[in-house]
Amino acid sequence: MIELAPGKSIELELVPDPDEPHEMRGRGPILIEDREIGKSRILLAMTAVELVPGAEQQKIAVATFDVTFHANMSNRFVSAEIVFRLISPEGVVFLDCQPNEVLVAAGEVWVDANGKMAFGTPDVATAEGGVGRKIHFPIEHRLVKASGAASTWAKWQFVETPRKREGISHAIQLAVTLPAEAPIEMELSIVASLAKPGLKELSEAMRRMIFKPRKIPLKITFPEDASSQSQFCFSSLPK
């Protein structure tokens, strides 16, 4: 069990999915050979975990993460799926997660006292009124879809920008809200597709990459009180 803490990075080495060759049907894409993959890795870091002020019935926390994909050699990551699954305490669910839509620009996540989150640009945000926190995401996201509110799974799917074909090369920034009455245990899984350019980029070899254990157990312990030196902006949310 890896205990997450703000500023603590976890390096996770990826390996080819051993089941992929057996799952291929018909004339699927050519698989990248193991020797052509290099040492591709993922760097996961919790950037902050804080209590959201104003909650009356239960403690609510917001946790933010940076996930960086590093493809070795001339390869690139063309897609990725990131999943957090809550294990304990029994019955606990994510209150919300962000970002949850296709984004092409930087923006801000607003978190209210009930753990509800909304994404907007710095000039226009869409959260309902109430006291809470504001998280600024300075890097644009290329996102297919996400889900997780009121469930034990928070899932994000990312793809590269097709025309640029530059891969998923930036730090992916994520945020979740969840009850903070007790330490949370969850599992992290990431599946990513690695591509190797072919002759004159007319064809590509592909390979599905996973963690060797497939799932990484994580633990989050929450602070007792709201921080007096928050990493987020503290204000009334826009109406």
Side-chain angles (χ1 to χ4, degrees), residues 12 14 33 44 47 49 69 71 75-76 93 96-97 103 114 120-121 125 128 141 163 167 179 208 220 225 237:
L12 304 168
L14 294 175
E33 297 181 11
L44 170 73
T47 51
V49 56
F69 289 84
N75 303 323
R76 72 184 196 278
V93 297
D96 211 343
C97 66
L103 305 173
N114 297 313
T121 66
E128 297 177 354
H141 289 67
R163 287 176 294 179
R208 188 168 63 221
I220 301 176
D225 302 297
L237 300 186

Side-chain angles (χ1 to χ4, degrees), residues 36-52:
E36 298 176 310
I37 288 174
K39 194 171 184 178
S40 298
R41 66 170 187 161
I42 292 174
L43 200 64
L44 170 73
M46 172 182 278
T47 51
V49 56
E50 293 186 18
L51 297 184
V52 178

Side-chain angles (χ1 to χ4, degrees), residues 9-205:
S9 296
I10 304 170
E11 183 177 338
L12 304 168
E13 188 173 348
L14 294 175
V15 297
D17 186 348
D19 296 329
E20 187 176 28
H22 309 294
E23 296 173 354
M24 302 288 289
R25 297 289 184 271
R27 297 182 61 186
I30 301 172
L31 295 183
I32 303 176
E33 297 181 11
D34 289 1
R35 62 181 175 81
E36 298 176 310
I37 288 174
K39 194 171 184 178
S40 298
R41 66 170 187 161
I42 292 174
L43 200 64
L44 170 73
M46 172 182 278
T47 51
V49 56
E50 293 186 18
L51 297 184
V52 178
E56 298 179 356
Q57 297 183 349
Q58 66 174 342
K59 287 184 177 181
I60 293 174
V62 55
T64 58
F65 306 88
D66 278 354
V67 185
T68 303
F69 289 84
H70 181 94
N72 204 5
M73 305 175 73
S74 61
N75 303 323
R76 72 184 196 278
F77 286 107
V78 297
S79 64
E81 180 180 270
I82 301 171
V83 180
F84 289 120
R85 185 176 75 87
L86 293 175
I87 300 174
S88 70
E90 185 177 354
V92 69
V93 297
F94 289 105
L95 301 176
D96 211 343
C97 66
Q98 285 286 349
N100 63 4
E101 59 187 21
V102 175
L103 305 173
V104 294
E108 292 172 344
V109 171
W110 299 80
V111 185
D112 69 14
N114 297 313
K116 182 178 179 181
M117 310 176 80
F119 191 96
T121 66
D123 296 326
V124 180
T126 56
E128 297 177 354
V131 177
R133 296 244 189 252
K134 180 176 68 174
I135 309 163
H136 180 59
F137 281 173
I139 301 175
E140 70 177 32
H141 289 67
R142 173 70 185 181
L143 175 69
V144 179
K145 58 183 178 180
S147 63
S151 75
T152 57
W153 300 74
K155 177 187 292 187
W156 295 266
Q157 292 177 318
F158 293 85
V159 295
E160 69 174 353
T161 304
R163 287 176 294 179
K164 293 184 178 180
R165 296 165 63 88
E166 295 176 347
I168 305 173
S169 56
H170 58 71
I172 294 173
Q173 299 170 309
L174 309 173
V176 297
T177 51
L178 63 174
E181 300 292 344
I184 295 287
E185 293 184 3
M186 61 185 183
E187 289 179 336
L188 167 69
S189 63
I190 297 179
V191 178
S193 294
L194 195 68
K196 176 179 172 59
L199 182 63
K200 295 183 180 180
E201 297 190 356
L202 296 178
S203 62
E204 292 184 325

